[in-house]
């Protein structure tokens, strides 16, 4: 998704190491396994949203449904480094 691509660009710009787990190019091409993983990821956020990307720091989801916007906000506000060190 465009938001996933933008999130990866933001992560690359930070210089921090991260693990990228790609489920598929588009939601409709995920197949059974990718769809199951997406459903599990949705269960890990407060609102249950299955939208992508999902960004986790230390096993905690960043920003509920809006992984990209929450990441951008954390970087813009200077909070990302503190979150990574916690």
């Amino acid at each position: 998704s465009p938001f996933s691509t933008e999130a990866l660009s933001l992560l690359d710009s930070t210089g921090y190491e991260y693990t990228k787990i790609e489920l598929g190019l588009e939601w409709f091409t995920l197949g059974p396994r990718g769809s199951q993983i997406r459903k599990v990821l949705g269960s890990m956020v407060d609102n249950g949203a299955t939208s992508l990307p999902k960004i986790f720091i230390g096993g905690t989801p960043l920003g509920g449904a809006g992984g990209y916007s929450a990441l951008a906000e954390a970087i813009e506000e200077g909070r990302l480094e503190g979150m990574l060190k916690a």
Side-chain angles (χ1 to χ4, degrees), residues 34-80:
S35 294
Q36 290 257 343
I37 293 170
R38 188 173 174 169
K39 185 176 178 180
V40 169
L41 289 171
S43 73
M44 298 171 77
V45 296
D46 291 337
N47 62 4
T50 59
S51 58
L52 296 173
K54 294 285 186 260
I55 300 169
F56 294 83
I57 296 176
T60 302
L62 179 63
Y68 165 75
S69 57
L71 175 64
E73 187 177 287
I75 291 170
E76 187 176 301
E77 294 176 358
R79 295 183 290 113
L80 182 63

Side-chain angles (χ1 to χ4, degrees), residues 8 13 23-24 28 33 47-48 50 53 60 64 75 78 80 83:
L8 289 170
S13 74
L23 301 182
F28 51 84
R33 185 172 185 276
N47 62 4
T50 59
T60 302
I75 291 170
L80 182 63
M83 296 166 83

